[in-house]
Amino acid sequence: MPPHNVRSLVVVGGGINGLAALFHALRLGAKGPLLVDRFQLGHDRASSHGPSRIARSMYPHAGYVRLMRATFAEEWPRLERAAGEPLLFRSPGLFYGPAAGPIAAYAKGVREAGAEVDVLDVATARTLFPMLRFEEDELVLHDRTAALIAAARTLRALERSTRASGAEFQLGTRVLAIDPSRDPIRIETDRGELLAERVILTAGPWARALVPELATRLLAIRQNLAYFELEGARDEFRVGRFPVFARIGLDENDFYYGLPEFDHPGVKLAQHVTRGRTDDPDSSPGTYDEDAIEDLRAFAIRAFVRPVRGLAGADTCMYTCTPTEDFVLAPHPANRRFVIGSGCSGHGFKFGPMLGRILAELALFGDSKLPEYRALQTEFSLAGRSA
Ligand SMILES: Cc1cc2nc3c(=O)[nH]c(=O)nc-3n(C[C@H](O)[C@H](O)[C@H](O)COP(=O)(O)OP(=O)(O)OC[C@H]3O[C@@H](n4cnc5c(N)ncnc54)[C@H](O)[C@@H]3O)c2cc1C
């Protein structure tokens, strides 16, 4: 047992990855771990808030397809058992776009990994998914593994489970610096010093401020999202009938995705913006960009067969992007007991229950034996793979 003033484990950041890491650390035997967050859990200033997220196997990199297969098979069922409620809601998944564009790489990735994905011709797509418009030159991929994630319910379930298993929380506490060269590791906060044998850092868009080695590699980008009510019976837009989808265009950032109505009125719509600007996560919280919302309305009018009835809500949320959109999931070079999880680049929630497991294994045991993680270690390293 560490001396009384030294924590066995401190997790910095209570988004999906920090809470999942805490969940697994407790499962793997950690005693009295502490989670620190500068805000309250479920707050809307970072990347994990809001009612829903997409889970898919659809990736250009076969390694991510395989990692998601393991996540679907092992970690979401484990979390649902602990939560005592469903958190994944199966839904048709459609990923489509000009066949000459990036969608072709997604088709190659899922084929290489043998994922349950069908290629649909446009006529069949129009018959099976009459709510969406498809162009003649488009490649349409039907992901039969896809699901809607009950995101807010997942965060609440993780908090309930970890509190019940003995975790402690210090919320409203901002970490100012982490010194991995000290043993125990020294964590300076705006409420005093913490000492820890092991630290897991999952600080989302603020990670680059706490790990200088990542300052140039991580971009914080604010996303705008909207909920639109469409003409028609509400039942048409519920999960299971209305697909989770993404239209992947030719140009950078020409990537729009949507989800059925779930725990919030309206079909959710957003653009996946991973390049070309950086935002200060501390500035103008919750202020969405009117032009971006109008751009989403224009996309809704182009993409949906049903007319848009009105805007049912809008919000912002932060991405933490790496140049290759690979995650950062690795120990700090100065101390293997200081483990970093960040750079989720707008696609980390679906992997959260697995990334949390890997982070906990790295922190507690110095390594993770998960073959799907081993296969992506270069991609997940602090330096990452070259863009
Ligand atoms: C609009 C949008 C749509 C998305 N859609 C999908 C999707 O469909 N599917 C999918 O898989 N993923 C999706 N994602 C991505 C996914 O939500 C993120 O990858 C994931 O939430 C990242 O979680 P995190 O725990 O790493 O970071 P965060 O949720 O950002 O958590 C970081 C936490 O650290 C705390 N913190 C930071 N700095 C400090 C400090 N100095 N001291 C104390 N605490 C600190 C913050 O308060 C915060 O709570 C989407 C993201 C956005 C923004």
Side-chain angles (χ1 to χ4, degrees):
M1 276 293 281
H4 77 283
N5 65 334
V6 177
R7 293 275 173 176
S8 64
L9 172 68
V10 172
V11 177
V12 179
I16 180 68
N17 290 318
L19 284 168
L22 188 67
F23 171 83
H24 284 286
L26 287 157
R27 179 180 67 81
L28 295 167
K31 296 285 176 268
L34 172 71
L35 185 140
V36 178
D37 198 291
R38 56 182 293 187
F39 304 113
Q40 299 306 311
L41 297 180
H43 68 91
D44 64 359
R45 302 286 301 273
S47 325
S48 294
H49 64 281
S52 58
R53 296 286 192 277
I54 296 174
R56 57 176 155 113
S57 292
M58 189 65 63
Y59 274 91
H61 190 317
Y64 282 88
V65 182
R66 297 187 186 102
L67 183 65
M68 194 58 213
R69 183 182 291 141
T71 308
F72 273 135
E74 298 169 37
E75 296 313 329
W76 278 108
R78 187 198 311 268
L79 190 48
E80 288 183 322
R81 285 193 300 276
E85 62 175 309
L87 300 171
L88 278 191
F89 294 80
R90 290 291 162 191
S91 168
L94 284 185
F95 299 81
Y96 61 104
I103 190 75
Y106 286 76
K108 183 169 171 292
V110 291
R111 204 171 36 247
E112 193 183 318
E116 296 167 60
V117 171
D118 306 328
V119 177
L120 304 180
D121 61 62
V122 169
T124 307
R126 286 179 179 145
T127 308
L128 292 178
F129 302 101
M131 67 290 288
L132 291 172
R133 287 203 180 91
F134 302 99
E135 306 301 328
E136 287 304 330
D137 69 339
E138 289 184 328
L139 172 61
V140 183
L141 303 173
H142 178 201
D143 181 346
R144 289 185 279 111
T145 71
L148 176 142
I149 305 169
R153 299 182 196 183
T154 299
L155 297 184
R156 290 196 294 271
L158 281 165
E159 180 184 357
R160 270 197 319 273
S161 168
T162 53
R163 281 190 189 279
S165 307
E168 293 175 44
F169 292 80
Q170 198 172 320
L171 306 177
T173 299
R174 183 174 187 173
V175 169
L176 304 172
I178 301 173
D179 183 353
S181 68
R182 304 273 295 270
D183 185 12
I185 300 169
R186 183 174 175 277
I187 303 169
E188 186 195 339
T189 82
D190 58 0
R191 290 196 187 179
E193 172 187 272
L194 292 166
L195 295 173
E197 287 188 325
R198 294 172 181 80
V199 175
I200 296 175
L201 178 71
T202 48
W206 289 276
R208 56 200 300 261
L210 292 168
V211 184
E213 291 81 354
L214 288 173
T216 55
R217 189 149 179 255
L218 298 179
L219 274 187
I221 305 181
R222 181 167 284 112
Q223 310 290 310
N224 296 279
L225 55 118
Y227 301 87
F228 290 104
E229 280 182 349
L230 305 180
E231 297 293 351
R234 292 289 284 277
D235 192 48
E236 283 178 48
F237 311 113
R238 63 171 173 71
V239 67
R241 278 195 65 187
F242 197 91
V244 296
F245 72 91
R247 184 184 181 280
I248 305 169
L250 294 171
D251 307 331
E252 222 167 48
N253 293 336
D254 181 9
F255 186 133
Y256 292 81
Y257 59 94
L259 297 91
E261 188 166 304
F262 187 84
D263 282 0
H264 186 293
V267 167
K268 178 179 172 180
L269 202 55
Q271 184 184 13
H272 181 66
V273 180
T274 57
R275 288 177 179 73
R277 67 162 208 270
T278 182
D279 298 297
D280 171 2
D282 285 313
S283 69
S284 53
T287 314
Y288 55 80
D289 174 347
E290 300 279 355
D291 293 343
I293 302 303
E294 281 319 303
D295 176 63
L296 292 174
R297 185 193 300 271
F299 176 81
I301 292 166
R302 289 197 305 275
F304 299 141
V305 170
R306 290 282 194 193
V308 172
R309 182 188 292 155
L311 182 67
D315 196 0
T316 67
C317 181
M318 296 298 298
Y319 279 9
T320 311
C321 298
T322 59
T324 53
E325 298 189 29
D326 287 315
F327 306 149
V328 174
L329 212 63
H332 191 280
N335 186 338
R336 294 193 67 78
R337 293 175 172 217
F338 176 30
V339 175
I340 299 151
S342 189
C344 289
S345 306
H347 64 106
F349 205 107
K350 67 180 78 64
F351 292 102
M354 180 60 88
L355 302 185
R357 171 180 152 182
I358 296 166
L359 289 166
E361 290 174 352
L362 289 173
L364 298 180
F365 310 135
D367 194 11
S368 170
K369 299 211 173 353
L370 188 80
E372 290 83 359
Y373 163 71
R374 292 275 173 103
L376 288 166
Q377 269 184 297
T378 303
E379 285 82 349
F380 290 169
S381 65
L382 251 66
R385 63 179 155 149
S386 51

